[in-house]
Amino acid sequence: MRMVFRWFGEGNDTVSLDHIRQIPGVEGIVWALHDLPVGEEWPMERIEQIRDQASAYGLHIDVVESVNVHEDIKLGLPSRDRYIDNYIRTIEKLGKVGVKVICYNFMPVFDWARTDLHKLGPDGSTALFFEKSKIHGIDPLELVRTINQNSALTMPGWEPERLAHLTSLFDAYRNVSEEDLWDNLEYFLSKVIPAAEKNGIRMAIHPDDP
């Protein structure tokens, strides 16, 4: 097993690569390009920039979390093939820089949820935290307000421009059944897994997914 550490990017994460490399046993970072719109093909120069930043501190970039899945793919809309093509081209580029694992989410609307972005641990450190009792029955828009008020960095899947259209997203999913979602996931994986395998990459569904 090779230990890695989540990094949200230069100028976005308060934890620097210099700090990460000092953590005993950590050999690499888990990263993503959070500022790019979901569904957009990742530019090679941006990927290489992260690789070069990490390698300058002796860290690898083997794991990406996440290459987010566009809502049109999850909804099974006719436009999904265009976004899947972008996803495959991103996979091919990531394979060229040695990425071995791509995490992804396939949850409707929200890619992940937390109830505390700065949970204080016994040693004085902070971490993302989820407490089910606090989220049960909560108005999703209230959850969004809470996250936005307490986030000091750009969080993947919670980009402001995306959250601005939450109401229309909820409406879009109103008639999507659980079976529909599984069918759309199967269609997505049937396209991207062969591309991932061809490039030596394993697709790993994120543990936040139900």
Side-chain angles (χ1 to χ4, degrees):
M1 179 180 293
R2 303 180 68 189
M3 287 183 60
V4 292
F5 193 88
R6 188 69 167 89
W7 187 57
F8 291 95
E10 193 172 71
N12 187 41
D13 200 327
T14 56
V15 179
S16 68
L17 291 174
D18 187 39
H19 292 150
I20 293 174
R21 70 167 179 169
Q22 297 176 53
I23 303 173
V26 169
E27 300 178 24
I29 57 169
V30 179
W31 63 285
L33 297 179
H34 308 306
D35 59 316
L36 296 181
V38 175
E40 183 176 316
E41 179 183 345
W42 288 14
M44 193 65 188
E45 60 268 22
R46 292 291 310 281
I47 295 171
E48 291 174 337
Q49 180 185 34
I50 299 294
R51 178 200 61 192
D52 294 345
Q53 289 172 341
S55 63
Y57 291 92
L59 300 167
H60 67 72
I61 58 166
D62 289 4
V63 182
V64 172
E65 181 199 341
S66 304
V67 179
N68 287 340
V69 180
H70 195 276
E71 296 296 338
D72 287 13
I73 299 174
K74 300 175 190 177
L75 289 164
L77 300 181
S79 53
R80 65 182 174 179
D81 286 329
R82 173 165 63 90
Y83 293 112
I84 290 175
D85 288 342
N86 287 347
Y87 206 103
I88 290 173
R89 286 193 291 269
T90 296
I91 287 174
E92 292 169 347
K93 293 176 181 178
L94 293 173
K96 290 178 180 178
V97 297
V99 169
K100 296 178 175 58
V101 178
I102 295 175
C103 298
Y104 70 97
N105 295 297
F106 211 86
M107 292 185 289
V109 186
F110 296 116
D111 285 340
W112 58 272
R114 297 291 185 273
T115 53
D116 193 338
L117 300 181
H118 308 282
K119 178 69 173 179
L120 187 65
D123 62 353
S125 63
T126 60
L128 302 176
F129 188 75
F130 179 79
E131 190 171 350
K132 185 177 179 180
S133 62
K134 290 185 177 181
I135 206 170
H136 182 70
I138 192 174
D139 181 344
L141 297 179
E142 179 60 33
L143 175 62
V144 169
R145 284 191 288 270
T146 300
I147 293 293
N148 283 340
Q149 289 170 0
N150 292 282
S151 180
L153 69 163
T154 302
M155 307 295 284
W158 291 75
E159 298 83 2
E161 64 274 10
R162 182 172 182 271
L163 297 179
H165 303 287
L166 272 187
T167 301
S168 60
L169 267 180
F170 284 128
D171 289 340
Y173 277 102
R174 195 174 301 278
N175 295 317
V176 177
S177 68
E178 182 177 345
E179 183 178 354
D180 292 334
L181 197 61
W182 278 110
D183 287 343
N184 296 338
L185 172 60
E186 182 178 3
Y187 183 87
F188 168 70
L189 292 178
S190 72
K191 303 288 186 179
V192 301
I193 285 182
E197 291 178 342
K198 182 179 179 181
N199 288 276
I201 292 175
R202 181 168 62 90
M203 298 294 296
I205 195 162
H206 196 280
D208 281 353
D209 268 357

